[in-house]
Amino acid sequence: EEMLKYISYTLLATTSSLFPFSKNKVEIPVNVSNGESGVLHLIFEAGLLYQYLSFKVESHKSSRTLSPLKMSILTYTSQQLRHYVGFVNDVTISGHMRSLKATYLVLYDQILIFRFYYSFIQRFDQFRGDQFLSEFDSLRHHGDPLISSLSNNIFQSLIILYYEYLTNWLTKGQLDATYKEFFIEAGEINNTDD
């Protein structure tokens, strides 16, 4: 019962006297049994992923060289992190966290969602926005309904920007060459008198 009182703090990456955060890990008291410790490791993955994603989103958002597509990915991820905070607060108040196993079951989908975002945030610097857009498009047809749904939601938020790129190119002849996230790149005109 004492552990259950402190778990909600850990899930929101806040250190507590029972479960202090130390260098991106959560310290579990030594007097906890192996079975309970194993379940706590599973539960605390949510808090550690939340901490990692929050840090990465904020550090990337401070960059002034992000493309609109990549900024949209960060904004969407940030919204999901805020949703998670509300979710943890609701679950804590509702009393669904009656035991460690019940807590893990309540958090299971959220852990999978965070793993999904984690896989993209880890590659954030190596991928262009249009590459993420293509990947989300292909994952919309994934066999796992959760991955399919997550991918579809992000894809729908990104495709609006990509349609804007396309519309500007087709109707106005404008091409923002700064981010190189479009299938056409602006080139130099070479006038030679041959």
Side-chain angles (χ1 to χ4, degrees):
E1 288 181 17
E2 185 180 358
M3 286 189 285
L4 291 172
K5 291 176 188 174
Y6 289 95
I7 283 178
S8 60
Y9 296 106
T10 309
L11 291 174
L12 297 176
T14 303
T15 194
S16 66
S17 58
L18 190 60
F19 302 118
F21 268 86
S22 172
K23 296 183 181 176
N24 298 325
K25 64 181 180 179
V26 180
E27 293 181 18
I28 297 174
V30 293
N31 61 345
V32 173
S33 71
N34 285 340
E36 289 175 335
S37 177
V39 177
L40 287 171
H41 277 87
L42 296 171
I43 291 170
F44 291 159
E45 183 181 0
L48 292 169
L49 286 170
Y50 171 76
Q51 180 188 43
Y52 175 84
L53 291 170
S54 297
F55 174 76
K56 286 296 186 179
V57 165
E58 290 308 313
S59 64
H60 284 303
K61 274 188 173 181
S62 64
S63 172
R64 296 180 186 259
T65 60
L66 285 181
S67 70
L69 285 174
K70 289 180 99 170
M71 186 56 89
S72 183
I73 292 170
L74 291 178
T75 301
Y76 191 86
T77 305
S78 182
Q79 290 170 352
Q80 297 310 306
L81 291 171
R82 284 193 302 276
H83 172 75
Y84 169 77
V85 171
F87 170 78
V88 169
N89 290 332
D90 290 344
V91 167
T92 303
I93 293 168
S94 70
H96 290 323
M97 296 167 57
R98 293 180 298 275
S99 69
L100 293 180
K101 289 180 182 177
T103 301
Y104 176 66
L105 291 174
V106 167
L107 290 170
Y108 182 74
D109 281 350
Q110 196 61 56
I111 293 169
L112 296 179
I113 291 168
F114 277 174
R115 287 178 185 170
F116 177 81
Y117 291 120
Y118 177 82
S119 71
F120 289 102
I121 294 296
Q122 273 192 310
R123 298 177 286 152
F124 199 75
D125 291 329
Q126 290 83 30
F127 275 50
R128 295 185 322 262
D130 61 324
Q131 290 173 313
F132 279 122
L133 180 66
S134 295
E135 192 162 347
F136 290 132
D137 183 38
S138 66
L139 288 173
R140 292 187 313 151
H141 311 291
H142 195 277
D144 184 325
L146 181 63
I147 291 178
S148 176
S149 174
L150 290 170
S151 300
N152 188 54
N153 292 341
I154 296 175
F155 176 81
Q156 294 303 326
S157 71
L158 294 179
I159 197 65
I160 295 168
L161 287 170
Y162 204 73
Y163 284 155
E164 190 176 307
Y165 289 172
L166 186 61
T167 302
N168 287 340
W169 175 62
L170 288 173
T171 60
K172 302 174 188 172
Q174 294 176 344
L175 187 61
D176 189 353
T178 310
Y179 305 115
K180 297 184 179 182
E181 295 185 313
F182 196 55
F183 66 95
I184 293 183
E185 292 184 17
E188 294 181 23
I189 298 175
N190 189 3
N191 289 334
T192 57
D193 295 331
D194 290 344

